[in-house]
Amino acid sequence: MSVFSSIRQAVRRSYRRAVDLSHPARSPLGSAVVNCVVYLEGVRQEGCAEVEEALRRVRKAGDGFVWIGLHEPEQEEFAGLAELFELHPLAIEDAVHAHQRPKVERYDGTLFAVFKTVRYVEHAELTATSEVVDTGELMAFIGADFVITIRHGGHGSLGPLREALEASPEQLAKGPAAVLHAIADHVVDDYLAVTDAVQHDLDAVESAVFSESGGRGDAGRIYQLKRELLELKRAVAPLERPLQQLATQAMPAVELDFRAYFRDVADHLSRVIEQITSYDALLDSVLQAHLAQVTVAQNEDMRKITAWAAIVAVPTMVCGVYGMNFEHMPELRWTYGYPTVLGVIAVACFVIHRSFRRNGWL
């Protein structure tokens, strides 16, 4: 690994956002409920730990919304919330069981959005078994006065996002649509960070293949990176259509003004998809170049084997002739016959060897 690559990797680690687990937004309220917060005019309200109490307070005020965060809820744990907020059974099933494609669906006055979250897995060196991309899921129910986020996987925490939004009350005051936009923007920003990090592995593989000491074992690394890139593509590409829907179609709880915001996120996503597509094409080229190098190396080996076989054929032929034990053979009883034959064999082998060396076979 070059010095510049090491510096770039260290800088990327140093800029990774730290998560402050002492923040009240991440104080656990149960096995699945991570937090329950009321926002009035964009300002966080304290003293609303219970979901029913929080919703009652919001609807009594006639303004603001409640944001409930969950992590991998079970069917029984989610049933109460689903009944309280009148969520659609199909969306409930998707939210609990996960493994969904990115999408946006409308159910009466509720919007259900699914995002794939991605994380770059740090590794000292890419191998044929290295995990490069780790994926999870993030789902959001958006209503007129509530936001319910469900996270699946060990990463993709919304704690830093919540903190950033709370630092801009004027943005939170715009309602649940502002939270949905912030989530989409946060997810796509993570896509950008991961694709930039994957480029480091791609550069390393490309340099190894085209280096003078490039080995034949690089095929496993190339295939592994291609598999991880495919996993990233499956997480990113399907989100394009849902973002286009949010940017162009009327959606529940999403005002017309927010379409421009979602168009901006869609533009960023297009850049990510273009990067992934170019990486995939480049990996195909690198793989073809590697296979061509392997074929050339095998041809070199076969030429060397053939050349040595031709050299060995000369003494084999001469010894075979003299080993036939005929009674009348030329120079059979000559005193210098044996060293003369050895000399002829040596000269012939030397001439053939020089000829193969001159032609690049040896």
Side-chain angles (χ1 to χ4, degrees), residues 11 43 76 82 94 144 164 216:
V11 170
V43 179
E76 297 76 14
D94 290 346
R216 299 185 184 182

Side-chain angles (χ1 to χ4, degrees), residues 3-41:
V3 175
F4 293 107
S5 299
S6 303
I7 294 174
R8 180 171 60 181
Q9 200 169 23
V11 170
R12 187 169 64 240
R13 292 195 188 101
S14 66
Y15 275 95
R16 186 172 296 132
R17 292 171 292 186
V19 178
D20 179 14
L21 295 177
S22 65
H23 190 276
R26 283 176 291 280
S27 299
L29 302 176
S31 57
V33 179
V34 178
N35 51 53
C36 175
V37 181
V38 169
Y39 295 96
L40 297 178
E41 296 182 355

Side-chain angles (χ1 to χ4, degrees), residues 10 78 88 113 126 139 172 203 217 227 261 287:
F78 196 58
H88 196 279
L126 180 67
M139 305 171 182
L172 268 179
D203 292 343
R227 281 194 296 266
Y261 290 94
L287 180 59

Side-chain angles (χ1 to χ4, degrees), residues 208-231:
V209 167
F210 291 103
S211 65
E212 294 183 359
S213 59
R216 299 185 184 182
D218 288 327
R221 301 170 63 200
I222 298 173
Y223 276 116
Q224 178 64 17
L225 185 57
K226 195 167 179 62
R227 281 194 296 266
E228 294 295 309
L229 195 63
L230 179 61
E231 182 177 359

Side-chain angles (χ1 to χ4, degrees), residues 166-177:
E166 289 176 358
S168 303
E170 66 281 356
Q171 187 69 12
L172 268 179
K174 296 178 181 178

Side-chain angles (χ1 to χ4, degrees), residues 1 3 52 79 113 129 148 157 189 205 254 265 276 286 308 312-313 322 350 355 362:
M1 185 182 296
V3 175
E52 294 83 353
T129 58
I148 303 175
S157 172
D189 283 347
V205 167
V254 178
V265 178
I276 294 175
V286 170
W308 283 111
V312 173
Y322 275 85
F350 176 76
S355 177
L362 288 175

Side-chain angles (χ1 to χ4, degrees), residues 172-244:
L172 268 179
K174 296 178 181 178
V179 177
L180 180 61
H181 165 259
I183 291 174
D185 191 49
H186 173 74
V187 168
V188 174
D189 283 347
D190 284 346
Y191 292 167
L192 285 168
V194 171
T195 51
D196 289 341
V198 168
Q199 186 177 5
H200 170 75
D201 292 312
L202 183 58
D203 292 343
V205 167
E206 186 179 14
S207 299
V209 167
F210 291 103
S211 65
E212 294 183 359
S213 59
R216 299 185 184 182
D218 288 327
R221 301 170 63 200
I222 298 173
Y223 276 116
Q224 178 64 17
L225 185 57
K226 195 167 179 62
R227 281 194 296 266
E228 294 295 309
L229 195 63
L230 179 61
E231 182 177 359
L232 178 61
K233 186 176 182 179
R234 286 174 177 170
V236 173
L239 184 58
E240 188 173 23
R241 184 171 179 272
L243 284 181
Q244 290 296 334

